Amino acid sequence: MTKTYQIQSYFNFLKRSTNQHGVHSPFVYDLVTKCFYDKKKYPAYQNIKAYRQHLLSNTTTLEITDLGSGSQVFKTTKRSISKMASVAGSNYNDAKLLYRLTHYLQCDSILELGTSLGIATQALALGRPKAALTTIEGCPNISAAAKASFKKFDLKYIDVVTNDFSEAINGLKTNHYDLVYFDGNHQKEATLQYFETLLPTITNDTVFIFDDIYWSKDMTAAWNIIKQHPKVTVTIDTYKFGFVFFRQEQAKEHFTIRL
């Protein structure tokens, strides 16, 4: 059912979506043209590619503790790092976009829910190398593997927290974040809970990014509820990602943009 839903929702997305020419907000227009559609070949892309290749060549098998919505691919708790990197981690284009986002938005304080093997984490860090980046991973073995990779690639400013998301973020509510990336638990109630818990951490310039907003009907329902929240002013649906902004100077508006 989930795959059928994803295919149907993608065709519906294509019918609704536009490019920069359908955007009348100067902030969103600049974000789309200067960041989303930026075709420059940044040197950091080679580092992103090298990190991914490092994982794809690692045949180590890990015992997985899954605290989220589970996997649509893996049917066992034993998974090789190489297989996880090939099917479960951010793909190359997604990682490049995350790099451009922290680079373009100049994010100095970043929170990620769902480290996995750190593909997205590395990309977020490369975009703003001295940003304070906290990433939370529920599985101790995956967390340890990510830490080892970060050390190998000399990523110095990443704080890996190994804990259940709910417990971990309860201790972070007094912080402020420029960017929060939600990529670990694709269940409706959990997503809404994390969103509400982390609302006190926002500033006027904060962006929340939700991964896989069409993962399931429940995940899309969570996305639609988030869009209507009174503190949310601008949202951008790119099918893969849902971007949420809290800019008080902007009228509430929702955009559907093809990447």
Side-chain angles (χ1 to χ4, degrees):
M1 175 61 196
T2 302
K3 282 294 178 194
T4 304
Y5 173 72
Q6 289 170 354
I7 293 164
Q8 288 172 341
S9 62
Y10 184 64
F11 282 116
N12 290 334
F13 165 82
L14 289 177
K15 289 179 196 170
R16 298 192 318 273
S17 63
T18 183
N19 55 21
Q20 74 271 27
H21 300 299
V23 173
H24 304 295
S25 156
F27 168 77
V28 177
Y29 181 85
D30 282 351
L31 179 68
V32 172
T33 57
K34 297 176 182 177
C35 178
F36 288 5
Y37 293 170
D38 181 359
K39 300 300 182 191
K40 289 193 202 80
K41 290 183 166 50
Y42 291 97
Y45 289 172
Q46 292 305 312
N47 292 338
I48 291 171
K49 196 174 280 187
Y51 189 93
R52 188 176 180 79
Q53 284 304 127
H54 157 71
L55 295 174
L56 290 171
S57 64
N58 188 336
T59 56
T60 304
T61 299
L62 303 178
E63 180 71 34
I64 305 303
T65 307
D66 203 328
L67 304 178
S69 53
S71 171
Q72 294 180 352
V73 177
F74 297 105
K75 305 304 177 193
T76 171
T77 57
K78 283 188 167 46
R79 301 170 197 168
S80 72
I81 288 176
S82 58
K83 185 70 172 172
M84 287 171 64
S86 68
V87 299
S90 295
N91 66 37
Y92 183 49
N93 284 333
D94 291 345
K96 289 193 296 182
L97 175 59
L98 293 171
Y99 163 83
R100 293 197 301 275
L101 277 161
T102 51
H103 180 71
Y104 176 78
L105 295 171
Q106 304 265 289
C107 300
D108 288 325
S109 182
I110 301 166
L111 175 65
E112 177 187 38
L113 273 60
T115 316
S116 188
L117 296 169
I119 295 173
T121 323
Q122 185 228 16
L124 291 165
L126 287 176
R128 194 72 169 159
K130 292 194 176 177
L133 196 164
T134 301
T135 182
I136 305 168
E137 174 55 51
C139 173
N141 291 335
I142 294 178
S143 179
K147 284 180 188 176
S149 295
F150 296 155
K151 186 174 181 182
K152 179 179 175 62
F153 281 80
D154 201 29
L155 296 163
K156 294 185 170 70
Y157 299 98
I158 299 175
D159 179 23
V160 182
V161 176
T162 310
N163 202 347
D164 173 80
F165 290 172
S166 296
E167 283 185 32
I169 63 177
N170 269 328
L172 302 173
K173 288 187 291 189
T174 57
N175 297 352
H176 283 113
Y177 294 105
D178 298 321
L179 183 150
V180 180
Y181 181 40
F182 297 78
D183 181 28
N185 187 331
H186 295 91
Q187 297 176 90
K188 177 183 175 182
E189 295 309 322
T191 299
L192 293 173
Q193 179 201 331
Y194 305 150
F195 170 75
E196 292 283 355
T197 302
L198 288 168
L199 273 178
T201 71
I202 66 171
T203 70
N204 196 61
D205 297 320
T206 299
V207 57
F208 280 5
I209 306 171
F210 292 88
D211 185 74
D212 281 332
I213 55 175
Y214 293 98
W215 169 273
S216 65
K217 284 185 178 178
D218 270 0
M219 190 63 195
T220 307
W223 167 244
N224 287 325
I225 290 168
I226 288 164
K227 283 167 62 177
Q228 300 310 317
H229 192 279
K231 285 192 176 178
V232 170
T233 56
V234 171
T235 68
I236 306 172
D237 173 353
T238 67
Y239 186 76
K240 176 69 166 67
F241 297 116
F243 296 87
V244 175
F245 293 92
F246 307 89
R247 296 162 55 83
Q248 292 177 10
E249 66 272 28
Q250 293 213 215
K252 197 173 186 82
E253 197 167 1
H254 307 298
F255 298 89
T256 306
I257 302 289
R258 290 189 300 275
L259 292 183

